[in-house]
C-alpha cells in the first residue's frame, strides 16, 4: 500500500469515528491535516572527506492539547507522506492516553547502520541546529522512534542546549538517564503493551499463563515486549528481525543472552547458532527451526506481536496468519483489508495507538520531571504507566462493547471525544 493511501486510511478512520464522537467539522479540520511541515537539508562531511547531503523532516500535526510530541526516525524509507500519517496518529495517541501533548513526527532519510558513530553524531547535531527554531519544551518535543536511541536523543539535546545557552532537558525525551532521561523510558513501550494486553485478557476472562507468543522485530520495543511477556508467564516461542528469525516451540530460553547477542552482532542471525537452532550457552541442539523473511507471521501462536515497521500484515499474507490475538506494537502494522479479514476469523486486535502508547506516556513523565526538576524511581514510573495503560485500555474495551465497534475505532472515538473538549 502506498504511503498516500496509508494517510487516507487513517484520515477516513478519523472522519468515521469523529461522527460518533460528536466532533464538528472545524475541530476535525484543525488536526486532520498537519499544522506545519518542515523540510531541511543536512550536508555532512563523511569520514572519507566527501560531503553527503541528507534530507530531514519534522511534521507538526496539532498542538490543540499541548506541545507537538512524537519521535524522530532514521530510516532510508522515511517519507513526508508517512510522517504526516504518523504525526496525525500521535495527536490521537496523546489524547487517548490523556496526556497534555499534541502530535508530531520527524525523521531523516538515512540508513544509520551504514554510518560511523561520528557521522551519526554529526548528522544528529545538524538536525538539531536545523530544527532549533521550531522546537522547544513548550513548542515541540521530539523523542526516539525507529532506529533512534537514547544516545541520539542526548546528542540532539546537547546541540540544542549549546545554541540556547542553557541545559534544556525538556526539549527532547528518551534521553540517556545521565542527561535527564527518565528511569524506565527505554522499556516503556514494551511494558505498556504488556499492561494493555493483560487488561484485555482480564476483560475477556482469559488466563495468559502458557499462551504462546511470536514477536516480529527485535529492536528496542520487540526486545522489551518479549522479555516482559515472558516474565508474565507467556511462552515466547519465536523472535525475528529484518534478516529472519527463529522458532522454538517449547519456548525461548535465555532471552537476556539472545538480546545481548543481538546487541553485539547487530542481528539475531547466528544467535541461535548459524543455520541451525541450538542453545546459545551450551550449544545443545534444540527442537526448533530458522525462519526466512517474514515467515514468523504465519506461526500458529496465541499472540502475534508485530514490532517492526508498518505494513507487516497485508492482503498478501493475511490468509496465512494463524494467531488468535494481534498486539500491534509497531505503528500501522496491518492494512485495513487485512484487519477485516482477521476480524472475520474473530482475531482480537489490540490497536497500535493503544498497544504502543507506553512510550509517549513515559515521555510525558520524563518531560514532567524535567520541567519540575524531579527524579522518579523506576518503580514509580512503572506504577504510573500501569495506571495510565489500564485506564485507557478499560475505556477502549468498554466503548468497543457498548458501541459494537472494533477496538481500533473505539480507541479513536475515546481520543476524539477528548480532542472535542480541547
Ligand atoms: N516514537 C514513539 C511513538 O510512536 C514515542 C513518541 C514519544 O515518546 O514522543 O509513540
Amino acid at each position: 500500500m502506498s504511503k498516500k493511501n496509508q494517510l487516507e486510511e487513517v484520515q477516513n478512520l478519523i472522519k468515521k469515528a469523529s461522527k460518533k464522537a460528536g466532533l464538528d467539522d472545524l475541530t476535525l479540520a484543525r488536526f486532520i491535516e498537519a499544522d506545519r511541515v518542515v523540510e531541511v537539508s543536512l550536508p555532512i562531511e563523511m569520514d572519507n572527506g566527501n560531503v553527503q547531503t541528507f534530507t530531514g523532516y519534522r511534521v507538526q500535526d496539532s498542538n490543540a492539547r499541548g506541545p507537538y510530541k512524537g519521535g524522530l526516525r532514521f530510516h532510508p524509507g522515511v517519507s513526508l507522506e508517512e510522517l504526516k500519517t504518523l504525526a496525525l496518529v500521535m495527536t490521537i495517541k496523546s489524547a487517548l492516553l490523556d496526556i497534555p501533548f499534541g502530535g508530531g513526527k520527524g525523521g531523516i532519510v538515512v540508513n544509520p547502520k551504514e554510518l560511523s558513530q561520528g557521522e551519526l553524531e554529526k548528522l544528529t547535531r545538524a538536525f538539531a541546529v536545523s530544527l532549533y527554531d521550531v522546537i522547544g519544551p513548550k513548542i515541540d518535543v521530539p523523542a526516539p522512534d525507529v532506529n533512534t536511541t537514547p544516545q541520539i536523543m542526548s546528542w540532539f539535546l546537547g546541540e540544542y542546549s549549546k545554541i540556547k545557552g542553557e541545559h534544556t532537558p525538556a526539549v527532547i525525551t528518551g534521553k540517556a538517564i545521565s542527561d535527564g532521561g527518565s528511569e524506565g523510558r527505554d522499556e516503556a513501550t514494551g511494558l505498556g503493551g504488556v499492561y494493555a494486553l493483560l487488561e484485555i485478557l482480564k476483560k475477556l476472562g482469559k488466563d495468559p499463563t502458557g499462551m504462546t507468543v511470536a514477536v516480529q522485530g527485535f529492536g528496542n520495543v520487540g526486545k522489551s515486549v518479549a522479555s516482559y511477556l515472558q516474565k508474565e508467564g507467556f511462552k515466547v516461542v519465536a523472535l525475528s528481525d529484518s534478516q529472519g528469525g527463529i522458532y522454538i516451540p517449547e519456548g525461548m530460553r535465555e532471552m537476556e543472552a539472545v538480546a545481548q547477542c543481538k546487541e553485539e552482532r547487530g542481528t539475531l542471525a547466528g544467535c541461535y547458532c548459524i543455520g541451525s537452532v541450538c542453545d546459545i550457552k551450551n550449544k545443545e541442539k534444540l527442537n526448533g527451526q530458522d525462519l526466512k523473511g517474514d515467515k514468523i507471521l504465519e506461526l500458529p501462536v496465541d499472540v502475534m506481536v508485530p514490532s517492526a515497521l508498518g505494513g507487516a500484515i497485508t492482503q498478501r499474507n493475511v490468509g496465512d496468519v494463524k494467531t488468535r490475538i494481534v498486539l500491534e506494537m509497531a505503528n500501522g502494522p496491518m492494512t485495513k483489508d487485512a484487519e477485516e479479514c482477521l476480524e472475520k476469523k474473530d482475531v482480537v486486535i489490540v490497536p497500535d495507538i493503544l498497544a504502543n502508547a507506553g512510550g509517549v506516556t513515559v515521555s510525558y513523565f520524563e518531560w514532567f520531571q524535567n520541567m519540575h526538576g524531579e527524579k522518579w524511581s523506576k518503580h514509580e514510573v512503572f506504577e504510573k504507566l500501569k495506571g495510565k495503560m489500564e485506564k485507557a485500555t478499560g475505556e477502549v474495551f468498554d466503548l468497543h462493547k457498548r458501541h459494537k465497534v472494533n477496538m481500533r475505532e473505539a480507541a479513536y472515538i475515546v481520543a476524539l471525544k477528548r480532542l472535542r473538549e480541547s
Side-chain angles (χ1 to χ4, degrees), residues 145-209:
D145 200 82
V146 174
N147 289 337
T148 47
T149 59
Q151 171 66 80
I152 291 174
M153 301 302 111
S154 290
W155 287 330
F156 194 101
L157 163 64
E159 201 58 30
Y160 182 92
S161 299
K162 200 159 80 189
I163 308 172
K164 181 124 183 104
E166 63 183 358
H167 182 53
T168 316
V171 70
I172 198 160
T173 57
K175 318 171 275 286
I177 293 187
S178 55
D179 292 313
S182 178
E183 292 286 346
R185 174 61 185 85
D186 239 9
E187 305 96 312
T189 312
L191 184 57
V194 175
Y195 288 145
L197 178 61
L198 288 174
E199 190 62 16
I200 283 171
L201 292 175
K202 194 160 94 189
K203 298 254 180 199
L204 294 171
K206 289 190 196 289
D207 178 8
T209 318

Side-chain angles (χ1 to χ4, degrees), residues 69-73 86 90 93 101 105 141-146 173-174 185 189 331 356-357 359-364:
K69 187 82 191 83
L72 299 174
R73 53 175 59 187
L86 295 167
M90 285 307 301
K93 205 188 292 188
F101 285 136
K105 203 75 158 201
V141 185
D145 200 82
V146 174
T173 57
R185 174 61 185 85
T189 312
N331 284 309
N356 69 28
V360 72
T361 302
V362 175
S363 273
Y364 164 57

Side-chain angles (χ1 to χ4, degrees), residues 281-354:
K281 282 189 190 138
N282 308 319
K283 305 277 179 261
E284 162 207 338
K285 190 97 182 74
L286 294 176
N287 184 19
Q289 70 189 74
D290 290 320
L291 300 167
K292 294 255 172 317
D294 266 345
K295 280 280 169 214
I296 190 164
L297 298 168
E298 300 171 14
L299 295 176
V301 290
D302 297 310
V303 188
M304 181 62 66
V305 191
S307 314
L309 291 170
I313 305 177
T314 64
Q315 196 61 35
R316 186 180 44 85
N317 60 359
V318 68
D320 297 317
V321 172
K322 300 174 191 72
T323 189
R324 304 306 313 147
I325 300 172
V326 180
L327 179 65
E328 293 188 335
M329 296 308 295
N331 284 309
M334 186 186 301
T335 56
K336 182 150 177 36
D337 40 13
E339 176 183 67
E340 281 162 8
C341 207
L342 291 180
E343 277 173 350
K344 281 195 193 116
K345 294 195 255 173
D346 287 328
V347 174
V348 174
I349 300 166
V350 188
D352 52 1
I353 59 163
L354 175 65

Side-chain angles (χ1 to χ4, degrees), residues 89-156:
V89 168
M90 285 307 301
T91 299
I92 303 290
K93 205 188 292 188
S94 301
L96 172 62
L97 269 290
D98 202 9
I99 53 181
F101 285 136
K105 203 75 158 201
I108 302 180
V109 187
V110 62
N111 183 354
K113 289 170 192 148
E114 287 169 2
L115 300 189
S116 69
Q117 278 297 98
E119 290 165 342
L120 192 57
E121 178 173 352
K122 268 192 224 170
L123 184 61
T124 305
R125 288 183 182 276
F127 200 26
V129 174
S130 298
L131 294 184
Y132 180 81
D133 286 337
V134 297
I135 58 170
K138 291 190 174 166
I139 304 169
D140 183 353
V141 185
D145 200 82
V146 174
N147 289 337
T148 47
T149 59
Q151 171 66 80
I152 291 174
M153 301 302 111
S154 290
W155 287 330
F156 194 101

